[in-house]
Amino acid sequence: MTMQSYKLTYFNMRGRAELPRYIFAYAGIAFEDRRVEWNDWPSIKKRLVGNSKLAEAQADALVDTLNDFTLLIPWREDNPQIKTQKIDMLFQSHAPKLLDHLQCHLGDREWLVGDSETWADLYCHVCFTTFSVLRPGFADDHPALCGLIDRVEAIPNVAKWIQSRPTTEF
């Protein structure tokens, strides 16, 4: 069994990374605190956030939209009948609007934002995997979105992760 190692990469400042540093410290978890200088950032920045400020904002908006829908799922409902009713209502009334919005945004492009994959595409796959457990075939009437999901799943490192991750319902 190998030990898990963590690497936190952030600018050479406290900023938003200080809270995770505190959490690692509090929990007694060793981690590599990788500090990046501002001048080095452009060569390190990943393409997943988009290649412009507008693309970044669009990816963020799409992720937030998917997350808003996910938060409507009655995860903690104890009564199975009420839970089923709420899920049915969600997939009958809200899911079609979400899918239409995403498909309209995707249009005839391969990726949700710009001409390459972003974290919005990855998150879309994560969400659709979960939604498919709750409602198999929920996106079948949206072939462009199904194609997007297939393209994300075909990204070699994503495919490798999906094959090796632990099996869980959600």
Side-chain angles (χ1 to χ4, degrees):
M1 189 163 132
T2 60
M3 291 293 296
Q4 185 73 26
S5 64
Y6 297 94
K7 178 175 20 178
L8 191 148
T9 303
Y10 193 72
F11 298 106
N12 190 15
M13 59 189 293
R14 286 188 309 277
R16 293 181 185 266
E18 197 63 11
L19 178 57
R21 291 180 187 122
Y22 275 33
I23 293 169
F24 280 132
Y26 176 82
I29 298 171
F31 70 100
E32 180 185 341
D33 186 19
R34 183 171 178 230
R35 304 288 178 119
V36 176
E37 297 301 328
W38 288 103
N39 292 341
D40 297 330
W41 178 240
S43 65
I44 295 170
K45 182 180 175 184
K46 301 280 189 216
R47 291 179 47 197
L48 288 177
V49 296
N51 53 15
S52 71
K53 290 292 184 188
L54 177 60
E56 288 179 36
Q58 289 173 331
D60 290 350
L62 290 164
V63 167
D64 287 344
T65 299
L66 284 161
N67 196 51
D68 287 346
F69 180 84
T70 302
L71 291 173
L72 295 173
I73 297 170
W75 299 110
R76 300 186 61 127
E77 176 58 59
D78 291 331
N79 183 316
Q81 291 172 327
I82 293 174
K83 187 172 190 168
T84 298
Q85 289 172 349
K86 288 181 177 182
I87 290 171
D88 287 346
M89 187 276 304
L90 182 63
F91 278 89
Q92 289 167 4
S93 64
H94 295 292
K97 296 172 190 170
L98 172 68
L99 294 169
D100 288 346
H101 170 73
L102 292 172
Q103 185 148 307
C104 180
H105 185 85
L106 178 62
D108 60 357
R109 294 188 317 269
E110 287 190 41
W111 306 106
L112 286 169
V113 178
D115 59 0
S116 65
E117 64 274 5
T118 66
W119 76 300
D121 301 298
L122 301 180
Y123 192 61
C124 190
H125 187 281
V126 168
C127 291
F128 275 42
T129 300
T130 299
F131 302 160
S132 292
V133 171
L134 296 170
R135 190 70 64 226
F138 81 100
D140 287 350
D141 292 338
H142 295 79
L145 291 175
C146 293
L148 170 68
I149 299 308
D150 291 343
R151 283 187 294 283
V152 170
E153 200 163 307
I155 297 169
N157 286 342
V158 173
K160 183 179 175 183
W161 166 248
I162 290 170
Q163 290 299 314
S164 66
R165 70 183 173 196
T167 302
T168 60
E169 183 179 17
F170 295 108

